[in-house]
Amino acid sequence: MTTAAALLATSAPASAGSAEAPVLGTSGSASTGSASTTSTAPYERPAMVAAGSGYAAELQDAVNYWTVDRLAIAGLSDDDISEAGGGINGQGSDVIVEPTAGGDALSATYTGSGLIRKTAGKLFLKRSKVGTTDYFWSSCSANVVESANQSVVLTAAHCFESNSANWDFGTELENVATDRAVFIPGFNGAALARYVLGTPEGSGALPGTDIAPYGVWGVTRQWITSEWRVDPSQFGDGPGHDMAAFLVDSPTDSRPIQQVTGGQQVGFNLPQGKVLTGFGYPADNTKSWYAPPFVNGVPTRTGAANSHGVPSALQRSYDGRTLKVSSGQTTGITSKYLDVLPAAISPGASGGPWFEQYDPATGTGIQVGVTSHFVNPDGGLPVFETVITGGDSAQPHMSAAHFTDQEKDVYDLAQAQVVPN
């Protein structure tokens, strides 16, 4: 889910990828196992940093674009409904409401250490409305995985493109594509100041190591699954295979990202219905099932249940600065290749990694999916609620796109590329 909207992803019927043998991606070589025969080729989106003589300058420009004010607009909460804030430009509140008993399995601030502190990060996006000059900034979550070229990061496909034409009678109320992006592994938003309204666009300083401890990495190339390319929307008939892989490069560090942050193991076609642990940077409260009431633009525990009937003790808010973790027994919706988990997260967490066999002592696991969209407990979409209430798609369950053959094809193609580019 981006911070701009709680995106609901489904698409045309999926190929029968679950019949494939389980596969683990490995660093230093393409993943092994039986070859996929049912999926079609991944789609490569237009390069954000083109190969050639101008590559170094383009990469530097891509990173320099993301000043601290643009990071704040894109990545911090927008839910200040006061007249001064207007609910835009990262003008949300810095007041954080936590559950009265502290974080729980639904979502908690991650306080551990280990590899996840380096590999998980925040993806900052400039998204253009296709066919217009309009654009906005938003954010997703992403994770570095082991790969042959040591440069692959995984996220949700809807972070790069989405089009609602298949359910809004071709009007394309949502038809957006990302044309600039950076990834900040280990993102720490504690020192990221809110954007000051009226400040000239892009005039802020570049982020330092307090915000980007492992550097700012330009997104150079991206691939999405074939099914998401055919129907990159939120209301189709199938799961959508809402997954993307992208390559990153740094203008100031000659090493590939995996040598800087390490990489998590990734698995494909592994059995569903397991205990999974998910990470991400939720940044929205208007689309959060567990958000507290807002009083004068400030999230406030009033003692009353919120508009969804969530009791005061379970309410919580997000500002986009902090890595959150959710965990528990998932339901595998095998017909849609989705893993469904009771989770109190919100937009901004899209693309964050879901792990099986997660070890909190080392911060490692096997990544088997990425955060995709809000769902009902049975994996169904809250379509009528979304349409009738004008976009309130919040539900107490979250889904991940479970990695099958199409996701493996995307990963394999990305890791086979010669980098940099």
Side-chain angles (χ1 to χ4, degrees), residues 52-65:
S53 59
Y55 175 82
E58 280 193 37
L59 179 63
Q60 187 69 65
D61 178 70
V63 169
N64 288 352
Y65 177 83

Side-chain angles (χ1 to χ4, degrees), residues 171-189:
T171 57
E172 298 186 347
L173 295 174
E174 180 182 77
N175 185 6
V176 295
T178 297
D179 49 37
R180 280 181 180 265
V182 291
F183 175 61
I184 300 183
F187 173 79
N188 182 358

